[in-house]
Amino acid sequence: MFETDGYVIFRDVIDQDLIKEVNDHVEWLQARHPEVRPEQLGHIYLRDDPFWVRLVSDDRLVDIAEKFIGPDIALFASHYISKPPYSGQPVLWHQDAAFWPLDPMEVVTLWLAVDHSTPENGCVRVIPGSHRSAVAGMRDNTDVESVLGKEIAVEVDEAQAVDMVLAPGDVEVHHPNIVHGSTANTSPHRRCGLTIRYIPTSTRITDPESPYPSAFHLRGEPGVNSYQPRPQYVEGRHFPFASAS
């Protein structure tokens, strides 16, 4: 299905005890960064966050990534996109590969559902099979306030879109070239997901900042990049979690 459609869903990957910790972590991050919209809790906050590193290192997630990119695995980036009730911003149609400093563009995205994700609260929507097309250009769109502020510079046939309806703990996996987006959250229910971008360690992060803020070596051979050291948990400074010690 991944080869033909560009996405696949894995159900019940993460247990509900850990999902509760993830919920608490999102609230903790929002309290620490009240000036940041909850859709923008991104990778720059990850390097000094032991819980976040623990989460993206979870074997259940890395095992899924390994099915797509092989045994030598690093984290490239991770973002919470938490859409608040009634005011959560849309993500306009785009391809991830248009944005990322990676060479070659070998990368897989895991989208971990923290909340129930539905058409009503702005779930991810994908255009199946669009990953087989080239990466199109992007254009600015200031007509609507959106998470990226940009959209793909080609027409998208929205009649082809498929809604990624997920329960907390489910994981949707997609290809970097697939055309995808999400609508605004006009419902009374938050829609939070954690995006996790895993790369084989043979993929080079070409950003001038090295090590990249969210580059962590997770499994196998370290490959071609330099990596952040794993942050050590400090009580009172970091988010407290069950396995912090």
Side-chain angles (χ1 to χ4, degrees):
M1 182 168 178
F2 188 83
E3 287 75 20
T4 57
D5 293 345
Y7 74 94
V8 67
I9 293 173
F10 294 81
R11 302 289 183 189
D12 298 317
V13 175
I14 297 298
D15 62 276
Q16 295 309 300
D17 287 343
L18 182 52
I19 289 294
K20 185 187 182 305
E21 284 195 315
V22 177
N23 264 294
D24 293 343
H25 183 232
V26 172
E27 292 181 7
W28 181 84
L29 279 170
Q30 287 185 225
R32 288 199 83 179
H33 305 285
E35 77 290 352
V36 177
R37 279 200 62 101
E39 299 96 339
Q40 301 286 353
L41 292 167
H43 70 280
I44 57 172
Y45 307 112
L46 192 157
R47 84 175 105 195
D48 186 36
D49 194 319
F51 174 75
W52 203 335
V53 175
R54 174 259 177 274
L55 180 58
V56 300
S57 304
D58 191 287
D59 282 336
R60 292 167 290 187
L61 298 171
V62 181
D63 285 350
I64 291 174
E66 185 168 331
K67 295 175 189 294
F68 299 91
I69 60 172
D72 304 316
I73 301 172
L75 180 74
F76 162 56
S78 181
H79 286 73
Y80 285 109
I81 304 178
S82 181
K83 296 185 184 183
Y86 302 114
S87 63
Q89 293 180 343
V91 180
L92 304 181
W93 294 113
H94 69 286
Q95 295 164 293
D96 291 337
F99 293 93
W100 289 343
L102 297 174
D103 183 30
M105 190 55 65
E106 290 181 20
V107 53
V108 69
T109 292
L110 274 61
W111 200 99
L112 171 65
V114 182
D115 300 326
H116 286 277
S117 189
T118 67
E120 290 73 33
N121 67 2
C123 66
V124 173
R125 309 173 75 209
V126 305
I127 307 295
S130 56
H131 66 297
R132 297 197 297 271
S133 300
V135 178
M138 298 294 296
R139 61 190 172 210
D140 293 335
N141 183 330
T142 55
D143 296 337
V144 289
E145 288 198 10
S146 69
V147 173
L148 299 174
K150 294 175 181 291
E151 64 181 359
I152 195 167
V154 296
E155 291 307 308
V156 175
D157 181 3
E158 298 197 17
Q160 301 297 317
V162 175
D163 293 319
M164 300 293 102
V165 178
L166 305 172
D170 290 350
V171 170
E172 181 265 340
V173 181
H174 61 254
H175 188 282
N177 287 19
I178 198 167
V179 176
H180 65 293
S182 60
T183 58
N185 182 8
T186 57
S187 83
H189 306 291
R190 188 189 73 171
R191 193 232 69 178
C192 182
L194 177 68
T195 65
I196 315 168
R197 328 302 195 162
Y198 295 104
I199 56 174
T201 60
S202 54
T203 287
R204 190 179 301 278
I205 302 171
T206 59
D207 190 87
E209 185 173 356
S210 182
Y212 197 66
S214 51
F216 287 89
H217 178 226
L218 302 180
R219 184 177 287 182
E221 295 297 320
V224 298
N225 297 297
S226 56
Y227 300 104
Q228 295 289 346
R230 288 182 175 245
Q232 295 298 305
Y233 176 75
V234 178
E235 191 173 348
R237 172 178 166 185
H238 295 126
F239 172 74
F241 58 104
S243 56
S245 59

